[in-house]
Amino acid sequence: MQQTKGIGFKRVLTNNRSMWKALLVISFFAATGSANDCVPRRFGVDRIVCVCNATYCDGLPDNALDVPNDGSANWYVTNREGLRLSKSNVKFGRCEDSLLNVALTVDSTKKYQQILGFGGAFTDSAGINIKKLSSATQDQLMRTYYDPKTGSKYVLGRIPIGGTDFSTRPYTYDDAENDTTLEHFALQKEDYTYKMPFAKQALELNPDVKFFSVAWSAPAWMKTNDEINGFGFLKPEYYQLYAEYLMKFLEGYKKNGLDIWAITTGNEPFDAYVPFDRLNTMGWTPPTMAKWVADNLGPTLAASKFNKTLILALDDQRFNLPWYMEQVFANKKAKHYISGTAVHWYGDFIAPPSVLDRTHEGYPDKFILMTEACEGTELLQPKVILGSWERGEKYVLSIIEYLNHWAVGWVDWNIALDNTGGPNWIQNFVDSPIIVNPQTDEFYKQPMYYSLTHFSRFVPSGSKRISITDNSFVKTVAFLTPSNEVVIVLYNRNIIAQRVTVLDPQRGTVCLELSPHSINTVKYKQ
């Protein structure tokens, strides 16, 4: 921090801002009584963020997840009024009868997909923003997401292969014209400065983290239009060379201590068909994608030391399902090499979630993973709306919907942005669950952050989704964890409180009163 001139008390004040912030935090909690509560800051009606800095950030202590043995359940609440993961205990027993009660039934004997987990993306822009904070605040932010003891307990991280729109420039790893030997292939300064350091930190915090990667485009000279964006496709003569290009990426990251669990066929290939879209992209048709995987990417991976790296196909909107994957999987060799389907949420209003069911039913041995979502993409709306409850609500409802329709996880887009929603080299600004404020060395946890944490913190990898009923006002999803605990997430969409009775035939009935517009996670021993 820049030192200011002055003497005596004035100098103490100006040169010790972090100390005074810490004192303010201490004063706040002396008044409110909890050492783990949100430090709220309001930006309007229903717009509350939780402020974190170098010395303090709200979060659940590790023992907050301990499930009692006395026939009761833990109950965690985040709501529009300002509660953030507020914990209480509720007993199993008889509920007061009322026609207004919503009656839900959990059946842990009916099991569905195994959950992989939740996470976010390590973009250049995320790294740029995190690096603007002090080292202590950077550490606080990474713990907020990836610490399995007090953070969100993320287990997934999406790492772009080269640049995206959330970079400050368009680039790939070999922009030397016609470099058919890949002599000039090289990881870039963005990898070493903005992506790998934070991915490594996530892995140090949680060794169970899995990274998956995707390229937005091949080098322009490999494409039919010689551009990093626009209506361009990989030239057939470069199918094998591009597979080798991706192997070099895997090798480069492995040499830097980062193994890539999975690689996808390319980010949003349908963007290539959108006129005047400046987004980095490379188009695929289902038959060409299948041919490239069958003849090039799949065999090249299988013959390499990265033969355990999975291939995920599509990485685009769910309105492409199931027809796109039906055509890809018609190629039996491609189907053999592909482990799952990656989907994005931006076009969900076009296609119902039943397309996920149809995809699962057609290919039950191939998992479905939601790999990108963000708010702030709507036309004529602010890109960042600090503290927006509405955006948090969209997150939680989407996660519930995807998990109830066979998705094994849900992955956010940028893990951190600034208050403009950038940087972004084509000004395609959006929102993020965490917004950084380098001027005050703070970051803001938005309702979107808590929506994800209500799942990621309580539903570990290996959990199985189980049966639970819901209705139009109370949306639900339930899981049985590897440690034989039941986790239920409920969202009350009502503008009024809603009484709910949850019947588990193996445990009894638990009675809840869900506050208006509230996210609720209930956890108990089976």
Side-chain angles (χ1 to χ4, degrees), residues 143-315:
R143 287 195 300 271
T144 292
Y145 275 129
Y146 283 93
D147 191 331
K149 294 181 178 180
T150 61
S152 296
K153 205 175 181 179
Y154 277 9
V155 294
L156 295 176
R158 188 178 186 224
I159 302 177
I161 300 173
T164 75
D165 53 319
F166 280 92
S167 302
T168 57
R169 63 187 180 105
Y171 69 93
T172 72
Y173 294 136
D174 195 341
D175 291 321
E177 193 72 21
N178 299 319
D179 182 19
T180 56
T181 64
L182 299 179
E183 175 188 1
H184 298 285
F185 179 98
L187 299 181
Q188 297 295 298
K189 61 181 181 181
E190 287 87 348
D191 296 280
Y192 294 108
T193 306
Y194 301 129
K195 289 189 278 195
M196 289 194 293
F198 298 111
K200 288 180 182 180
Q201 190 172 357
L203 194 61
E204 289 168 2
L205 287 166
N206 186 355
D208 294 330
V209 169
K210 289 180 170 64
F211 297 109
F212 65 100
S213 290
V214 53
W216 267 240
S217 175
W221 54 269
M222 291 189 189
K223 296 168 62 180
T224 55
N225 65 340
D226 294 312
E227 299 286 348
I228 203 162
N229 47 21
F231 188 67
F233 302 82
L234 187 64
K235 295 176 182 177
E237 61 265 34
Y238 291 138
Y239 275 20
Q240 182 57 33
L241 188 65
Y242 185 49
E244 293 167 6
Y245 169 95
L246 296 175
M247 296 306 106
K248 283 184 171 288
F249 163 78
L250 296 176
E251 179 65 35
Y253 265 62
K254 185 173 184 62
K255 284 182 178 178
N256 284 277
L258 293 167
D259 291 315
I260 303 301
W261 161 75
I263 192 169
T264 87
T265 48
N267 183 75
E268 297 187 356
F270 265 74
D271 288 341
Y273 296 89
V274 179
F276 311 113
D277 192 344
R278 297 177 64 210
L279 189 74
N280 320 38
T281 189
M282 183 171 74
W284 289 108
T285 65
T288 58
M289 177 184 288
K291 178 175 174 55
W292 176 63
V293 170
D295 299 341
N296 305 103
L297 181 61
T300 302
L301 261 180
S304 75
K305 62 183 175 183
F306 306 109
N307 54 23
K308 296 189 183 301
T309 300
L310 307 183
I311 298 174
L312 309 183
L314 185 59
D315 221 358

Side-chain angles (χ1 to χ4, degrees), residues 27 36 116 155 196 275 280 283 304 327 341 447 468 476 515:
S27 298
N36 293 98
L116 175 63
V155 294
M196 289 194 293
N280 320 38
S304 75
Q327 293 186 49
T341 301
I468 187 171
T476 65
S515 55

